[in-house]
Amino acid sequence: MRHPKNEIEDNLPSQDQTLSPLLDEDSGGNASGIVLKKGPWTSAEDEILIEYVKKHGEGNWNAVQKHSGLSRCGKSCRLRWANHLRPNLKKGAFTAEEEHLIIELHAKMGNKWARMAAHLPGRTDNEIKNYWNTRIKRRQRAGLPLYPPEVCLRTWQALQQTQDSGGSTIVDNDHHDLLRANSYDIPDVTFHSLKPQSALSYMPELPDISSCMLKRGLDSSQYCNFMQSALHRQKRFRDSASLFPGPDGSVKTPFHQFEDNSYSQAAQSFGTPFAVESNPTTKNAMSFGSFEGSHSLTNGNSSASQHSKETEKLELPSLQYPETDLTSWDTTIQPAMFESVDPFIQSTPTFVLQATDRQSPCHSGLLEALVYPKPMGPKNHPSDKNSNSCSVTPGDVTDSYNMAASKTEIDDYTEVISPFGHSTSSLFSECTPISATGSSYEDPTLTEAFSGSHVKSEPLDHAWTPDREKAAKSRVNFARPDALLTSDWHDRSSGIVEDTTNVTDAISLLLGDDLAADYEHFPNGISTTHSAWGLDSCSWNNMPAVCHMSDLP
DNA sequence: AAACCAATCAACCGCTAGCAC
DNA sequence: CGTGCTAGCGGTTGATTGGTT
């Protein structure tokens, strides 16, 4: 207890306590006219409650006051017992394992604190909730993504697995509904590849992911700016496509993978009307609040009718799954994270398969969201510009695009800026462990660098050891977008990624061709040089298991 | 030393699902 | 089926603490 004032009152609540302003006015009183106390509990009250529960057991909380004389409402008693008095409660800070588990669980469940608490023995929903809210604040300030990238990827992979297990790219209605309940209302989009063998119908469930990522990683203007800019680039590129005719006269541009209507559909798939209006001058004309009918920003708890105000609330929901999908995590998250033999490699690399084979823009969207986490929070002040290479604001991005109207011009940029104001190099390092010396994903120095101010960093809770480093090197780091595009892991994925232009196309679609062009500068798409991206450090991937997801009920 | 600010935590509030009647 | 009660959940508030200026 942190209320010494009350600790002094070591006995039953005094009269002036019960008459204090903390008195429960509305529940106040009860049938017997006893005024119920509110506010901090005293140790004396605790003892009474403990005694009561010993005698009568848990439950029937409203009877506590009746039987024990405790001037507390049943609700308050239940809460006090559940959060502080019941046995086997674990006190103290969360361990690294617990924190990691919370992150995983939250990625899957969202703000289902009670359900999360069920997976953390000795912890209460309140504790977890407080921890998470603190974490949100911290990471917002630091401009860090809420989830480690690999969590997003695993979630995405699990999602894909769920879809694929249905034998169709079209998600079953139930799942679809569940996802939609937490996503923007984004129409399914069918993309047609020019290549007959890869013609596909892509029904992106990604919106759930992307919307979540958006919700947590991008603010509306940034995202809209980016999408508008990207789509504008695509359109512009298409318009000038004759400049790059292919051998058969077709044009190998990312955009030409899509039919014209797909263009606007693609934009619509992001819940925006701006695809049709590709004029960049309208870039700020919309906000997330204009997503009519969308209720996803509210964590899926609000009806579609509650829209405007609530959608503006800062809500950082999850890559939510129906809990029935826990099984899908068994084969994806748990082994990849916790076991030395990485089943990510053993299993079907769903993520890459879909991302590449289908040249899915939505994959790029996920990748995009993963690698372009928006520096959230109010501390995007000008000083940030000086902190590191994150030197362009979202608004500047569009400008940078305009300035970089040609590939040649782009080549002059030594540091290509992501649509969200990150350099292409920094954006990766922002998402991934950076230093070979063991700096974690939550490296405080990074935190400071990104935020431009000193903030409390996330705990360096993932101790790095040489053994872990070795183990990490033996596997693909899925936290790293580049890892998805490189390594012999590709070869295991049925050679699907042999044509890296496909990947580039997908990325190009999202990033815009100029950024993708920069992307192409890297061997195999993105640098495979471990040191360049800090692949040596992989703390998140080496978290020991608290429990396997397969053990979860 | 004082003022200020952010972080943390305990507790409350409103809402809802489940259940019994 | 409707009503009332209870337990539980998630969001929010407010007190306290600790760090910084």
Side-chain angles (χ1 to χ4, degrees), chain A residues 233 372 406-418 422-428 504 507-508 511-527 533:
Chain A
R233 290 178 219 193
Y372 291 152
S406 71
K407 190 173 186 297
T408 306
E409 290 173 24
I410 294 165
D411 289 341
D412 293 333
Y413 285 85
T414 54
E415 186 83 312
V416 175
I417 306 301
S418 85
H422 304 264
S423 72
T424 47
S425 58
S426 65
L427 62 88
F428 283 118
T504 308
I507 290 178
S508 175
L511 302 189
D513 33 274
D514 41 7
L515 291 181
D518 187 73
Y519 162 84
E520 284 180 295
H521 293 166
F522 295 106
N524 291 326
I526 296 178
S527 171
W533 301 101

Side-chain angles (χ1 to χ4, degrees), chain A residues 105-369:
Chain A
L105 289 169
H106 192 276
K108 196 154 40 60
M109 299 175 177
N111 295 356
K112 301 296 177 189
W113 312 119
R115 274 161 62 190
M116 291 166 73
H119 298 312
L120 288 154
R123 299 297 186 178
T124 69
D125 54 347
N126 211 28
E127 268 182 302
I128 296 170
K129 182 169 59 181
N130 284 335
Y131 165 78
W132 189 259
N133 289 335
T134 300
R135 174 186 165 84
I136 287 176
K137 283 186 195 170
R138 227 184 282 156
R139 297 192 71 92
Q140 274 183 333
R141 256 199 317 281
L144 294 170
L146 197 49
Y147 297 100
E150 67 268 28
V151 171
C152 300
L153 291 184
R154 279 193 296 272
T155 305
W156 166 246
Q157 187 187 39
L159 175 62
Q160 288 302 301
Q161 224 169 47
T162 303
Q163 292 180 26
D164 290 348
S165 67
S168 169
T169 55
I170 302 173
V171 176
D172 65 275
N173 287 335
D174 289 342
H175 192 187
H176 200 192
D177 288 345
L178 279 165
L179 290 166
R180 276 191 175 240
N182 198 38
S183 65
Y184 302 118
D185 285 334
I186 298 173
D188 291 336
V189 181
T190 302
F191 295 103
H192 302 282
S193 168
L194 285 178
K195 299 177 184 175
Q197 70 273 21
S198 58
L200 58 95
S201 238
Y202 187 77
M203 311 299 274
E205 274 312 300
L206 182 63
D208 184 54
I209 301 287
S210 61
S211 65
C212 291
M213 298 307 296
L214 288 169
K215 280 175 275 183
R216 76 178 53 87
L218 315 173
D219 70 30
S220 57
S221 60
Q222 284 174 318
Y223 185 68
C224 292
N225 285 350
F226 162 61
M227 279 308 299
Q228 187 169 34
S229 174
L231 288 164
H232 178 66
R233 290 178 219 193
Q234 291 153 14
K235 188 169 188 305
R236 190 174 52 96
F237 203 119
R238 181 191 56 170
D239 291 344
S240 60
S242 58
L243 296 172
F244 309 97
D248 56 348
S250 67
V251 179
K252 291 278 187 178
T253 72
F255 191 84
H256 268 255
Q257 293 171 42
F258 311 107
E259 296 175 355
D260 282 355
N261 62 339
S262 297
Y263 173 71
S264 56
Q265 279 182 314
Q268 287 167 14
S269 76
F270 289 93
T272 73
F274 54 67
V276 231
E277 171 53 86
S278 60
N279 179 1
T281 60
T282 63
K283 63 185 179 183
N284 291 322
M286 50 183 297
S287 71
F288 274 2
S290 67
F291 287 84
E292 292 298 338
S294 170
H295 51 274
S296 60
L297 285 172
T298 61
N299 197 25
N301 288 333
S302 306
S303 70
S305 58
Q306 305 170 274
H307 134 66
S308 169
K309 281 183 182 174
E310 292 197 18
T311 54
E312 287 166 8
K313 282 165 57 179
L314 171 62
E315 180 61 47
L316 299 164
S318 67
L319 313 166
Q320 286 182 4
Y321 278 73
E323 197 161 29
T324 51
D325 283 345
L326 275 171
T327 50
S328 68
W329 283 62
D330 294 344
T331 56
T332 55
I333 296 169
Q334 168 252 119
M337 290 177 59
F338 303 133
E339 294 182 4
S340 56
V341 180
D342 193 343
F344 256 138
I345 298 175
Q346 295 174 334
S347 62
T348 305
T350 315
F351 179 89
V352 164
L353 180 134
Q354 302 215 355
T356 56
D357 186 27
R358 300 175 180 183
Q359 303 178 3
S360 160
C362 288
H363 157 252
S364 297
L366 176 61
L367 186 60
E368 163 71 31

Side-chain angles (χ1 to χ4, degrees), chain A residues 138-145 149 373 375 379-380 383-384 386-390 422-423 425-458 460 480 532-535 537-540:
Chain A
R138 227 184 282 156
R139 297 192 71 92
Q140 274 183 333
R141 256 199 317 281
L144 294 170
K379 302 219 171 176
N380 257 345
S383 66
D384 288 346
N386 301 325
S387 61
N388 63 357
S389 56
C390 303
H422 304 264
S423 72
S425 58
S426 65
L427 62 88
F428 283 118
S429 48
E430 182 175 342
C431 282
T432 54
I434 265 287
S435 157
T437 60
S439 300
S440 86
Y441 165 70
E442 327 237 19
D443 189 329
T445 58
L446 285 178
T447 296
E448 290 178 14
F450 288 131
S451 64
S453 62
H454 291 262
V455 295
K456 180 179 176 183
S457 65
E458 290 279 282
L460 297 174
R480 305 174 46 76
W533 301 101
L535 188 57
S537 177
C538 188
S539 56
W540 276 102

Side-chain angles (χ1 to χ4, degrees), chain A residues 23-29 38:
Chain A
L23 294 181
D24 193 338
E25 300 277 344
D26 39 69
S27 59
K38 290 166 77 173

